[in-house]
Structure formats: structure tokens, C-alpha cells
Amino acid sequence: MTDVRTSILFQRSLTRPALAGALTGLLLCASVPSALSAPAPYVPPRGTAYMGMGVLAHDGSTPDAGDGNTDDSSSVPRATQTEGVDVSSYQGSVAWSTLWSGGVRWAYTKATEGTSYRNPSFTQQYNGPYSTGMIRGSYHFATPDSSGGAAQADYFIGHGGGWSKDGKTLPGALDIEWNPYGDDCYGKSKSSMVSWIRDFLNRYKSRTGRYAVIYTATNWWTECTGNYGGFAANNPLWIARYASSAGTLPAGWKTHTMWQYTSTGKTVGDRDRFNGSTDRVKVLAKG
């Protein structure tokens, strides 16, 4: 019996260091994933957002979306559409005469974001299309998590977002879409988002006399406003969808006024079509 107990104690004495080593190894292994885990998603600096920044990431595109070629395969007859572009600071100095020669007749330029960012290339990008004969407008990239809607409308109007009845200036556009800096809906409930948008639109109308254009994507609008249809009666819709048609529109709108159909067009990338002839673009400009 003594020999058996001695054997067991001897085995345990050998096992404890091995077990301790195994536990140490497990602890070391447990710490490895934190060191080797995937890096946090890239978050761009505030101010660098642009129209359609999240469309590809969230909604994707289809092969027949059009790539800026003049032989685009869109099912919408080109004769009823007027080509346009939208630009922001990352595109720098834009070759407006080249775009004009290629048939572009209207353009929107990012003016502001939130209540602290102004496009450093705004002057060239806003006056350039005007000088070539295009009808131009400006847009504001909304960040509802940073300040109120009315405050952002004031900032927009004060820094390039105003409107003049010269027949060549389009009403300002509110770019409300996927949040590139965090939560898709900027941390707001559906009702709070609708209220924020309403505050912006009401302030813009009261100060300029014009109803602002709403730029958005149907999926975002559904997710973040609950597919609210109350703005359709007055505010023109600029829909973002990289496909062969504008697709299903947000609630309330029976048709779109403008359509951003690709991000890979010639010269500037972001290409748009106005749902009508150049004369209809002029009507929207005149108010």
C-alpha cells in the first residue's frame, strides 16, 4: 500500500508543474487575439464626407449602372434627361470646360458640413460651372449628431448655400445619408431624425424663400426616418442609386427630380441626371 501511495504522490508532483505550464500557456494564448485582432474600422476626418460617400458601401451598384460613358445602357431614355455632376473638395480644381463639352449642363458643389466645415475649393467649384454656362447649386452635408437642423441651415446659407433668382442658381440641397463617421442614423431615433430634417428645411425656406432639395438613398431613408413621406409635397427629391434606374423611391415621392447614377463617370466621377430637359432645370433655378 505504501508503494502505491508513494507512486501516486510522485505522479502528482510531476503533474503540477506540467499543469501550471499548461495554464500559463492558455493564458498567453488568450491574450494573443487582442494583439492580433483586426484593426478598428477607418473613420475619416470630419469634413471630408461627400455626396454618395456611403452608397457603394451600403447599397452597392449593378454592372449596368453606367460608368460615365456616353453609350450608357440605362433604361431611361437619355433624351429626357439632362446630365449633371456633383463635386466636393477632394476633386480639387475641376475641368469645367471639359465637362461642358461632354454635355454636362448643371452642377452642385459641396459648400459646408455641420457648423464648422467649409469647402476650401468652393469658389472655383461654384463659380466655374456658372462661367461655362452651366446652371449651378450648392449642397450641405448634414451631420445631425453635431448640431441642430436650423443651426446647420444657417451655417449653410451663410457660407455659399443661398439662392438668387438669376435663372442660373439652383436651390440648396440637403445631403442626408449614411453617416461616414459612426452610427448610420447619427444616433437618432426615426422621429428625432424627421424633426431634425424638418428644422433644417423650414429654416432654409424661411430665409431663402425656396424649398431645399433633399438628396438621399431609399434604404437610408427607410432605416433612419421610418420611410417618412411628409416632405414629398414640396421638396424635390435627388435620389442616389448606382443602377440602371432610380428604383423604388422613398415614401411620398411619385418621381425623382435628380438621380445620382454613378460614382465612376468621366472627369469627376459623380454623375447625375436631371429628370427632364435643360428647360426644366432652368425652371427649378428660377423658382
Side-chain angles (χ1 to χ4, degrees):
M1 182 66 71
T2 303
D3 292 339
V4 174
R5 288 179 178 175
T6 301
S7 176
I8 293 173
L9 289 172
F10 180 72
Q11 291 176 16
R12 287 180 177 174
S13 68
L14 292 176
T15 304
R16 284 171 184 162
L19 180 60
L23 288 173
T24 301
L26 287 173
L27 290 172
L28 288 173
C29 289
S31 65
V32 170
S34 63
L36 299 180
S37 59
Y42 171 73
V43 177
R46 289 270 176 169
T48 58
Y50 53 86
M51 191 172 272
M53 191 173 189
V55 174
L56 276 176
H58 289 82
D59 298 340
S61 65
T62 59
D64 58 351
D67 59 0
N69 295 325
T70 55
D71 61 345
D72 178 79
S73 59
S74 171
S75 60
V76 180
R78 291 297 297 276
T80 64
Q81 307 288 297
T82 305
E83 193 76 6
V85 296
D86 57 272
V87 298
S88 62
S89 63
Y90 83 90
Q91 288 149 326
S93 181
V94 177
W96 294 109
S97 59
T98 300
L99 289 169
W100 177 267
S101 297
V104 175
R105 293 296 178 262
W106 60 277
Y108 265 86
T109 300
K110 180 181 178 181
T112 52
E113 178 178 324
T115 54
S116 60
Y117 174 84
R118 298 168 61 184
N119 177 3
S121 300
F122 180 75
T123 299
Q124 193 276 346
Q125 292 182 343
Y126 188 65
N127 293 336
Y130 190 93
S131 298
T132 61
M134 295 183 196
I135 302 171
R136 53 83 190 272
S138 60
Y139 76 87
H140 174 81
F141 192 95
T143 54
D145 59 342
S146 66
S147 54
Q152 292 197 25
D154 285 336
Y155 188 77
F156 177 45
I157 295 167
H159 299 96
W163 174 77
S164 57
K165 196 173 184 177
D166 56 7
K168 294 184 69 176
T169 302
L170 293 159
L174 172 65
D175 180 355
I176 185 78
E177 57 170 292
W178 310 105
N179 178 11
Y181 310 119
D183 177 76
D184 285 344
C185 302
Y186 299 86
K188 290 191 172 293
S189 67
K190 294 176 176 62
S191 59
S192 294
M193 182 62 75
V194 170
S195 295
W196 191 97
I197 295 170
R198 182 182 295 111
D199 288 345
F200 182 100
L201 298 176
N202 286 347
R203 181 61 64 89
Y204 191 86
K205 175 64 166 61
S206 68
R207 290 196 54 187
T208 67
R210 293 300 310 272
Y211 290 104
V213 174
I214 296 176
Y215 168 96
T216 195
T218 299
N219 288 341
W220 182 91
W221 192 264
T222 300
E223 178 181 336
C224 298
T225 74
N227 208 17
Y228 180 75
F231 302 125
N234 297 311
N235 298 95
L237 174 66
W238 188 347
I239 194 68
R241 185 172 187 258
Y242 303 158
S244 60
S245 70
T248 301
L249 304 179
W253 282 282
K254 297 180 186 295
T255 186
H256 65 279
T257 298
M258 290 168 277
W259 167 30
Q260 187 188 53
Y261 68 93
T262 186
S263 63
T264 58
K266 294 179 179 178
T267 309
V268 299
D270 296 337
R271 289 296 191 111
D272 309 272
R273 290 180 186 153
F274 191 94
N275 195 12
S277 66
T278 305
D279 287 342
R280 299 307 303 168
V281 183
K282 292 176 180 179
V283 168
L284 180 61
K286 291 178 180 177

